[in-house]
Amino acid sequence: MRAEVQNNVDAIAKSVALLKRRIDWETAPHRLEEFNAMIEDPTLWDDPERAQQLMRDRQALMDGIEGIEALERDTSDNVEMIEMGEMEDDAEIVTEAERGIAKLVETAAEKELEALLDGEADGNDTFLEINSGAGGTESCDWANMLARMYVRWAEKRGYTVELQSRTPGEEVGIKSASYKISGKNAYGWLKSESGVHRLVRISPYDSAARRHTSFSSVWVYPVVDDNIEIEVNPSDIRIDTYRSSGAGGQHVNTTDSAVRITHEPTGIVVTSSEKSQHQNRDIAMKALKSRLYQMELDRRNAEINAAHEAKGDAGWGNQIRSYVLQPYQMVKDLRTGFETSDTQGILDGNIDGLMASVLASNASGKSRADMDEG
C-alpha cells in the first residue's frame, strides 16, 4: 500500500479514536440500552418536551455509534480491496479503493468537527436574527440575501425553519428578520455566524453602476430547553401588544395580537407576530429567556464574550466576514483567513466550510489576533 494511502488510513484511525473518546465508547452500548428502555415507558409522552429531548439524546448517541462503526467498516473494506487488487495486479480495483479511503478521510474530518460541538447548548435549537446596517436600501437587500443563505443552509441539513418576525425594507429586502431553526446541533453550527457581514458589489439599484459596500449583522443564540433554568422577574419586563395585519384583502387580521416584550434591566426587546396573542406571549418569553441565557454564556465564556463585544454596530471595523462580488469573487472569514471564490455557492447556503474553519480555530485555541499574526 502506497505511503500516501497509509497516511490516510492513519488519519482515519486518529479521527475514530477521538470520536470514541467523545462519546465514551466503552459505556455507549449500555447507555443506548438505557435509552431504549426509557422510550418503552408508556408514560414517557405525558411530558412531551422531556420525551422529545430524550429522543434527541438517544438519536445523537445512535448516530455517534453508527458513524464510528461505518468509518471502521468502510476503511477495513477498502484496505482489503487494495490488498486484493495488489495481489491480483488489478490497478482499477486499487484506484477505486484508494479513492474510497480519500473520501473517508473527509468524512472522518467532518465528524471530528461535529464532535467539537460539545458545549452546554451546542445541541440545542437556535434563534437567528438578521438586521440591516449602514447602507440603506443596499443593506436591506443584503440582509435579505443573508436570510436566504441561512434558510437554504438549514433546509439542506434537514432542519426546520420557522419565521418568528420580519420587518420589510422601505423599498426592497428586509430591515430585520428572526427565525427559529430546529435540528441537531443547530446552535453549535450557527453560533459562529454572530457578527457583522460585509458585502461589496456593483449595486443593482444604482443607475451609475457604482460599487457599494453594505453591512448587516447576524445574532445567534440558543433556544433554552428544560435542562436550563432561567428565571425572569415579572417586574423586570414590560409587555406591549400591537396590531398585526395579514397579507391584505377583506380578511385582514386587525386584532392587537402581536406581542413585544422588553426586559428593562438589559434593554433586550423580543417580538412575535403570529395570529394568537397567547402563542405570541409564549414565543416571546422563550426568546427572551434564550437571549438572557446567551448573555450568561457570554459571561462564562471569554471567547464568545469577545466575539460579541467585537460585533458592535453593523458597519466598518466590526465585520467577521467579507463577501466581495466585484471587482473579483471572494468570500473571506476575517477570523480564520478561510476564503473561497465560490461566492454563488456560499450565497446559496453552502457555508459549511466557513463554519468548520471557525470551529477548528476555536478548538485549537487560536484567537482572531493569532490568526492575524499568522
Side-chain angles (χ1 to χ4, degrees), residues 281-307:
R281 282 175 179 257
D282 183 56
I283 291 172
M285 280 302 297
K286 285 182 177 178
L288 173 60
K289 288 183 178 181
S290 293
R291 291 278 291 271
L292 292 171
Y293 176 63
Q294 179 66 45
M295 291 180 68
E296 178 60 25
L297 282 183
D298 288 348
R299 281 191 288 270
R300 286 190 236 162
N301 189 315
E303 193 169 277
I304 294 177
N305 188 46

Side-chain angles (χ1 to χ4, degrees), residues 119-122 124-125 187 221-225 227-232 268 286-300 304:
E120 184 176 22
D122 282 353
N124 288 29
D125 300 337
Y187 172 69
Y221 48 98
V223 175
V224 177
D225 57 27
N227 295 324
I228 302 169
E229 294 185 6
I230 300 292
E231 292 186 6
V232 178
I268 291 173
K286 285 182 177 178
L288 173 60
K289 288 183 178 181
S290 293
R291 291 278 291 271
L292 292 171
Y293 176 63
Q294 179 66 45
M295 291 180 68
E296 178 60 25
L297 282 183
D298 288 348
R299 281 191 288 270
R300 286 190 236 162
I304 294 177

Side-chain angles (χ1 to χ4, degrees), residues 8-314:
N8 283 341
V9 172
D10 292 342
I12 295 169
K14 288 180 180 178
S15 292
V16 166
L18 172 65
L19 291 168
K20 285 184 174 182
R21 287 198 299 273
R22 290 281 178 177
I23 69 168
D24 192 0
W25 184 252
E26 297 300 322
T27 67
H30 176 65
R31 284 182 286 126
L32 184 57
E33 287 179 5
E34 290 180 337
F35 277 131
N36 290 336
M38 284 188 281
I39 65 172
E40 292 176 3
D41 183 350
T43 65
L44 174 66
W45 289 96
D46 291 349
D47 185 346
E49 291 192 10
R50 176 180 172 275
Q52 289 171 1
Q53 183 60 50
L54 188 149
M55 296 297 285
R56 284 195 293 267
D57 291 344
R58 173 179 175 269
Q59 188 61 50
L61 182 58
M62 286 178 60
D63 290 346
I65 293 172
E66 291 171 3
I68 289 170
E69 291 177 341
L71 280 173
E72 290 185 318
R73 181 179 62 250
D74 293 346
T75 301
S76 177
D77 288 348
N78 279 292
V79 168
E80 288 180 8
M81 283 181 65
I82 290 173
E83 292 172 349
M84 181 180 70
E86 289 175 342
M87 287 178 59
E88 298 179 359
D89 199 22
D90 190 330
E92 186 175 343
I93 288 179
V94 172
T95 300
E96 181 182 348
E98 288 180 347
R99 285 188 190 133
I101 286 177
K103 189 165 184 62
L104 286 171
V105 171
E106 296 177 5
T107 301
E110 289 173 4
K111 290 188 177 297
E112 200 173 324
L113 277 171
E114 286 190 353
L116 297 174
L117 301 175
D118 59 358
E120 184 176 22
D122 282 353
N124 288 29
D125 300 337
T126 191
F127 289 112
L128 169 75
E129 288 186 5
I130 301 167
N131 294 279
S132 63
T137 297
E138 283 290 322
S139 288
C140 287
D141 191 40
W142 174 222
N144 198 48
M145 291 167 66
L146 282 173
R148 174 183 176 274
M149 180 182 80
Y150 289 119
V151 168
R152 288 206 166 193
W153 171 83
E155 290 175 347
K156 286 176 182 179
R157 280 189 164 265
Y159 290 169
T160 300
V161 180
E162 302 172 60
L163 178 64
Q164 302 285 294
S165 63
R166 183 180 187 274
T167 303
E170 292 180 4
E171 297 180 32
V172 298
I174 57 173
K175 288 183 179 178
S176 64
S178 176
Y179 298 89
K180 179 183 178 185
I181 299 177
S182 305
K184 179 185 175 183
N185 293 328
Y187 172 69
W189 279 109
L190 279 167
K191 66 182 181 183
S192 64
E193 297 302 292
S194 283
V196 174
H197 298 244
R198 169 178 173 250
L199 172 70
V200 179
R201 66 171 177 175
I202 301 296
S203 171
Y205 308 105
D206 186 339
S207 58
R210 290 171 294 190
R211 193 162 70 244
H212 284 245
T213 298
S214 309
F215 301 92
S216 289
S217 66
V218 174
W219 194 358
V220 178
Y221 48 98
V223 175
V224 177
D225 57 27
D226 285 346
N227 295 324
I228 302 169
E229 294 185 6
I230 300 292
E231 292 186 6
V232 178
N233 188 334
S235 65
D236 286 342
I237 63 174
R238 186 180 76 246
I239 301 178
D240 299 309
T241 58
Y242 59 97
R243 185 161 295 176
S244 172
S245 27
Q250 71 182 89
H251 300 297
V252 170
N253 170 22
T254 57
T255 60
D256 291 336
S257 61
V259 170
R260 179 189 296 111
I261 297 180
T262 304
H263 188 249
E264 302 284 4
T266 61
I268 291 173
V269 178
V270 291
T271 61
S272 182
S273 52
E274 298 295 325
K275 291 182 179 179
S276 160
Q277 188 176 121
H278 176 75
Q279 182 184 20
N280 284 330
R281 282 175 179 257
D282 183 56
I283 291 172
M285 280 302 297
K286 285 182 177 178
L288 173 60
K289 288 183 178 181
S290 293
R291 291 278 291 271
L292 292 171
Y293 176 63
Q294 179 66 45
M295 291 180 68
E296 178 60 25
L297 282 183
D298 288 348
R299 281 191 288 270
R300 286 190 236 162
N301 189 315
E303 193 169 277
I304 294 177
N305 188 46
H308 277 268
E309 286 179 350
K311 187 176 70 169
D313 295 329

Side-chain angles (χ1 to χ4, degrees), residues 145 199-202 323-330 343 347:
M145 291 167 66
L199 172 70
V200 179
R201 66 171 177 175
I202 301 296
Y323 305 70
V324 181
L325 305 187
Q326 278 98 13
Y328 54 89
Q329 303 272 314
M330 182 66 68
T343 56
L347 295 175

